[in-house]
Amino acid sequence: VFFIYYLLGFPQAPSTTSAFGTAIHATLSWVGNQLSRSGKIPTQKQVLDYFELRMQGGWLREDERQRLITRGKDALVVWLDQVGTGLAADNKYEFSFASEGVMLGGARLSGRLDRIIFDHRNRRLSVVDIKTGKALRRFDSSTKAHKFKQQLMFYKLLVEGSSSFSGYTVDKGYIEFAEPDGGEIVRLEYTYSDKELAEFKKLISAVWQSAQSLKLPDISQYPKSLKGIRQFEQDLTK
């Protein structure tokens, strides 16, 4: 599975969840890029029509498609009101790092970042990763929170190691939930820690070395919990 999907990069059939998330991400990216090009946010109708178009395809039952379209439109109306009006034309939306040549030791890093917010005067940046589904209001002891932290640390390394943003520092990271919770779009802020970043860099190097050598460790002994994940990460970086 690792070889086929991650090394060879074969596409996987979308699930209901991934189809919905992909359509939401594409729509929010389109909104931002339209603002960057024209200086204007698209109208609510244009946004909802674009989302519905992105939900077309043969992988969903029609009743399921209509349910997800309704769910997405309800969320987008709130997102446009609470977040869309605050977007800036100089933000970067759905920015790809594929050609940035980012390296961490011998590891080549790449990815795609949902939104980059600039503070040009102070040469600082904020990174935003967008999620669908139930909002998380604090970085608790869940596996989800652990993965969110790692994503935001990875984006910091990507941005600061890139050629396009040389000289900028990422000082803030956010997880933004596109679907409202209690009528509110939740944005969870992460404060970067030098200690956590140092540990995460070791983990990236260890994962890279394992992938390059195809020495993929047996994980059956680790419980499927945050404790098990942390133990696996510690063992991998010894």
Side-chain angles (χ1 to χ4, degrees):
V1 169
F2 180 86
F3 180 74
I4 290 172
Y5 294 121
Y6 293 96
L7 295 184
L8 296 184
F10 277 42
Q12 301 183 54
S15 64
T16 300
T17 301
S18 67
F20 178 75
T22 298
I24 287 287
H25 275 80
T27 303
L28 300 188
S29 171
W30 177 77
V31 170
N33 285 318
Q34 289 296 307
L35 172 63
S36 295
R37 293 189 188 104
S38 68
K40 295 180 181 178
I41 292 284
T43 66
Q44 183 183 106
K45 183 180 185 307
Q46 289 173 325
V47 174
L48 300 186
D49 287 348
Y50 184 89
F51 170 72
E52 185 166 356
L53 182 64
R54 294 303 301 240
M55 283 299 298
Q56 302 307 313
W59 62 90
L60 293 173
R61 293 196 323 264
E62 191 56 33
D63 61 330
E64 185 71 4
R65 186 194 327 279
Q66 292 306 318
R67 184 183 70 80
L68 292 174
I69 287 173
T70 299
R71 171 182 162 187
K73 287 183 174 182
D74 289 346
L76 287 168
V77 168
V78 180
W79 183 89
L80 282 168
D81 179 58
Q82 297 186 13
V83 179
T85 54
L87 297 179
D90 71 341
N91 291 171
K92 295 292 185 183
Y93 302 93
E94 202 73 15
F95 186 88
S96 173
F97 289 84
S99 60
E100 290 291 320
V102 182
M103 301 291 293
L104 179 65
R108 294 191 296 273
L109 308 186
S110 186
R112 188 177 293 272
L113 188 44
D114 293 330
R115 191 185 314 141
I116 303 173
I117 302 171
F118 291 90
D119 176 1
H120 293 295
R121 176 178 294 179
N122 296 304
R123 306 286 287 178
R124 294 186 179 278
L125 300 171
S126 298
V127 297
V128 181
D129 187 58
I130 298 172
K131 302 292 184 188
T132 53
K134 184 175 176 56
L136 192 70
R137 288 187 172 269
R138 62 186 181 89
F139 284 105
D140 54 23
S141 57
S142 65
T143 58
K144 180 184 286 189
H146 182 68
K147 291 177 181 178
F148 286 171
K149 284 183 182 180
Q150 290 184 331
Q151 280 188 284
L152 292 174
M153 285 190 286
F154 192 85
Y155 291 143
K156 178 178 172 69
L157 296 175
L158 270 182
V159 171
E160 293 182 356
S162 68
S163 56
S164 292
F165 308 109
S166 176
Y168 279 83
T169 300
V170 177
D171 63 345
K172 293 180 181 178
Y174 298 95
I175 300 293
E176 181 180 287
F177 296 90
E179 297 183 83
D181 179 39
E184 175 192 6
I185 297 295
V186 176
R187 183 184 278 189
L188 186 62
E189 182 177 345
Y190 172 62
T191 302
Y192 289 102
S193 157
D194 290 341
K195 180 175 181 295
E196 288 181 332
L197 274 168
E199 292 172 350
F200 187 58
K201 287 179 181 178
K202 289 183 184 178
L203 181 61
I204 290 175
S205 297
V207 169
W208 175 264
Q209 290 168 11
S210 294
Q212 290 296 298
S213 62
L214 287 180
K215 293 180 179 178
L216 308 181
D218 178 15
I219 62 170
S220 60
Q221 61 180 304
Y222 299 98
K224 295 180 179 180
S225 62
L226 180 58
K227 182 178 180 180
I229 290 172
R230 288 191 181 280
Q231 186 61 56
F232 170 73
E233 291 173 354
Q234 290 173 10
D235 292 346
L236 192 64
T237 54
K238 283 180 179 177

